[in-house]
Amino acid sequence: MALSTCQIKGTGITWIDIYDPNEEEIESVSSRYSLNSYALLDSLDPDHLPKYEEHNDTHFLIIRLLHDEKQKLPSIQSLSSKIAVFFTDKFIITIHRSAQPLIGHIMKNQADAGKIKSASGIAIHIVGDALRTFEEPAMKLSADIDSYESTLFLKKNISDDMIEDIYYLKNRAGLYKKLLLLSNEVVNSIKAEGEERPALHDVRDLHTKLALLYEQVQEDANNLLNIYLSLSARKTNDVMKILTVFSVFFMPLTFIVGIYGMNFKFMPELESPLGYPLTILSMFVISILIFFWFKRKKWL
């Protein structure tokens, strides 16, 4: 376990940051600060989703922040990591299993410098920085959506695996959106007083903006899937239309050829010297009539 402690400048608040603890080590901190045992179990669970609880005078929250993930079909656990936070008016404890640079940044640039005056203020900054990890992926997904839209509508190099790529994008946007929806309780449950109130408003505004952005990305991805399927169906219909036109042109001609291909001895025009040219002429006239009929019906 790596444990960092700092005193928030200008206050009597202690910040304890615990990195990759085991159960014995966490129990010693728990007994010292009277932390809820069930909340402790949640803080040690690396797959736990965002939540907010209050136990007596202690506030407990879990927030997840994103990190880069190259899997095509990632899970919430592979896309994000967790930070658990316990705080009261006298102390704040952060627990995480993976290294979180934002903790060190806030501790060094905000708490040590005396820019934050309360434990709830630290919690607000942690939640805010965690939410900001959602901004860059949102911009990337939006850019990918725009690229796919341009390709589809301008019909430039539409590949057969595009629908698979759009599905992966839609799946990833859905996971991000789910995390933001689960974080809604955390964002709305934190209370702030005095100087920290504007920071809390900024965090809530950021959360709302990100939720709307990912919802728009997911909706655009669904629309792209529908458009792709419609274009594929239209392409298939165009092919079937061409094949149908050819079959209609050759159907009466094949009928005539089939009749005169029968080897009966007594057939009309069989001995006539004009039989062959008249048959060819009639086939040509029928083809012309079919062509003008299709034109009149606007099928060509």
Side-chain angles (χ1 to χ4, degrees), residues 224-241:
L224 281 179
L225 285 175
N226 292 331
I227 291 170
Y228 183 91
L229 293 174
S230 297
L231 290 176
S232 299
R234 180 180 177 182
K235 185 177 180 180
T236 302
N237 290 337
D238 289 342
V239 172
M240 293 302 298
K241 179 181 177 181

Side-chain angles (χ1 to χ4, degrees), residues 47-243:
D47 297 332
H48 207 291
L49 296 174
K51 66 181 297 187
Y52 181 92
E53 294 176 353
E54 291 186 21
H55 306 285
N56 298 325
D57 295 330
T58 303
H59 304 270
F60 170 64
L61 65 88
I62 292 175
I63 192 70
R64 300 193 74 93
L65 58 156
L66 298 183
H67 52 75
D68 192 25
E69 175 55 54
K70 300 298 185 182
Q71 295 180 12
K72 287 187 174 182
L73 284 175
S75 63
I76 286 180
Q77 289 72 22
S78 65
L79 274 176
S80 61
S81 54
K82 173 182 68 68
I83 298 177
V85 182
F86 295 88
F87 66 96
T88 66
D89 293 338
K90 298 180 180 179
F91 68 84
I92 179 168
I93 300 172
T94 51
I95 304 171
H96 47 98
R97 289 194 175 275
S98 57
Q100 303 296 348
L102 70 87
I103 295 291
H105 176 78
I106 296 173
M107 188 177 286
K108 180 179 179 180
N109 298 323
Q110 301 288 337
D112 285 348
K115 297 179 180 179
I116 304 176
K117 302 298 184 181
S118 66
S120 62
I122 295 174
I124 290 169
H125 279 76
I126 292 173
V127 172
D129 284 359
L131 290 177
R132 288 184 187 94
T133 62
F134 286 79
E135 287 185 302
E136 185 177 346
M139 297 299 105
K140 184 179 183 304
L141 290 179
S142 295
D144 290 342
I145 286 288
D146 291 340
S147 175
Y148 287 133
E149 282 184 345
S150 298
T151 301
L152 282 175
F153 287 111
L154 299 178
K155 298 181 179 180
K156 298 185 298 184
N157 301 323
I158 301 178
S159 60
D160 293 335
D161 58 352
M162 180 180 289
I163 189 170
E164 182 179 341
D165 295 335
I166 296 174
Y167 168 74
Y168 290 141
L169 186 150
K170 173 179 172 291
N171 178 266
R172 187 176 290 264
L175 291 177
Y176 293 153
K177 180 183 174 183
K178 182 178 180 180
L179 278 175
L180 287 171
L181 291 176
L182 291 170
S183 302
N184 186 60
E185 179 186 9
V186 176
V187 173
N188 291 324
S189 297
I190 298 179
K191 302 294 188 295
E193 299 293 337
E195 296 178 0
E196 301 301 335
R197 190 169 290 177
L200 179 58
H201 288 318
D202 289 343
V203 169
R204 289 176 177 171
D205 290 343
L206 175 63
H207 179 266
T208 301
K209 182 189 78 172
L210 289 171
L212 291 174
L213 185 56
Y214 279 110
E215 183 176 355
Q216 184 63 47
V217 168
Q218 193 176 33
E219 183 178 339
D220 289 344
N222 284 325
N223 291 336
L224 281 179
L225 285 175
N226 292 331
I227 291 170
Y228 183 91
L229 293 174
S230 297
L231 290 176
S232 299
R234 180 180 177 182
K235 185 177 180 180
T236 302
N237 290 337
D238 289 342
V239 172
M240 293 302 298
K241 179 181 177 181
I242 293 173
L243 294 176

